[in-house]
Amino acid sequence: MARILQVALDLAELTKSVDIATKIASHVQCKNIWLEVGTPLLKAWGKIAVKALKNLTNCFILVDTKTIDVPSIEGGIVLDAGGDAFTVLGVADDEVVKEAVETARSRGKLVVADLISHPSPVNRAIELDRLGVDVVLYHVGISVQKARGITATHMLKEIENLRRSISAKIAVAGGIKPGDVRELVSRGVDIIVVGGAITKASNPLEVVDEILGKLSQ
């Protein structure tokens, strides 16, 4: 799999999300792009948002459900609505993760395990890898970024440990800017998740081009 830019649409406004998504899809023809139905967008609009982004862009759609229970229901809803992948929390019980994997596999789709708030992310990533998840997401949440003044780029050693320890793809999210991309890729990251640096930009397409350029180098 080529390195991927995942555009996190962590917005509550459906029209703005669709506007950004369709412009990106038209500009890059979805090449090396995943569009994320962020948790705020999903909670505000439900599967309507999933259907809208899939039908209007035909890009790969990841739905950030942050599932911690009954993934056969939560994952099933968003995958059947057009999602290509959904997220399960790394802090969820093993039984939940296994169910999430089975739910995705039964539809020929993917499951991403989000390590947000886990006290031992590297150790849990190894366990999640063995449970069969497709992607492990190292994630510094927005509230933590604001409170502690840290981003995913402060965790480079942990990311290196992840790469040495697991075979699943590695995604990283948390305050990432275009200037951070090369360093993260050099540490073994497969999927760069970028939200505000794109969605809040005066020219989102320019930022997308810059990041994709760095991913291909």
Side-chain angles (χ1 to χ4, degrees):
M1 183 179 79
R3 294 189 183 96
I4 298 293
L5 166 60
Q6 180 176 315
V7 181
L9 298 166
D10 287 322
L11 309 168
E13 302 88 354
L14 181 59
T15 53
K16 183 175 181 180
S17 300
V18 166
D19 180 59
I20 294 171
T22 53
K23 286 177 178 175
I24 291 172
S26 176
H27 184 63
V28 301
Q29 304 300 307
C30 300
K31 185 178 180 181
N32 300 331
I33 287 282
W34 287 7
L35 296 175
E36 175 192 327
V37 176
T39 312
L41 184 60
L42 181 65
K43 289 187 174 183
W45 291 94
K47 64 182 182 181
I48 292 172
V50 181
K51 288 182 176 181
L53 289 186
K54 188 63 178 183
N55 292 341
L56 293 171
T57 69
N58 203 33
C59 290
F60 186 102
I61 303 296
L62 180 139
V63 188
D64 194 10
T65 54
K66 290 188 172 71
T67 294
I68 198 166
D69 195 18
V70 290
S72 58
I73 297 175
E74 293 189 3
I77 290 170
V78 299
L79 296 180
D80 292 344
D84 298 288
F86 74 105
T87 60
V88 63
L89 290 180
V91 295
D93 292 329
D94 286 359
E95 290 77 11
V96 175
V97 177
K98 291 176 184 176
E99 186 180 317
V101 172
E102 291 168 1
T103 299
R105 292 288 181 279
S106 69
R107 293 165 170 81
K109 299 189 177 184
L110 306 182
V111 63
V112 176
D114 188 342
L115 292 167
I116 190 170
S117 297
H118 199 285
S120 303
V122 174
N123 291 337
R124 184 54 175 159
I126 294 170
E127 296 170 348
L128 292 165
D129 190 31
R130 291 171 181 164
L131 291 171
V133 302
D134 300 287
V135 180
V136 171
L137 170 62
Y138 197 99
H139 187 181
V140 179
I142 294 173
S143 295
V144 171
Q145 292 174 47
K146 291 179 177 178
R148 302 183 190 174
I150 61 172
T151 68
T153 58
H154 289 82
M155 309 297 176
L156 294 174
K157 289 186 178 179
E158 288 88 341
I159 293 167
E160 282 186 342
N161 287 339
L162 280 186
R163 182 70 288 161
R164 288 194 294 265
S165 303
I166 66 175
S167 58
K169 299 297 182 183
I170 294 176
V172 175
I176 296 172
K177 305 292 190 295
D180 304 325
V181 172
R182 287 182 184 173
E183 184 68 34
L184 290 168
V185 167
S186 73
R187 305 299 175 109
V189 176
D190 304 289
I191 302 166
I192 302 289
V193 184
V194 181
I198 293 173
T199 60
K200 296 178 183 178
S202 58
N203 188 339
L205 298 182
E206 190 175 86
V207 182
V208 168
D209 282 342
E210 182 179 358
I211 295 173
L212 289 176
K214 293 178 185 296
L215 286 177
S216 64
Q217 292 175 350

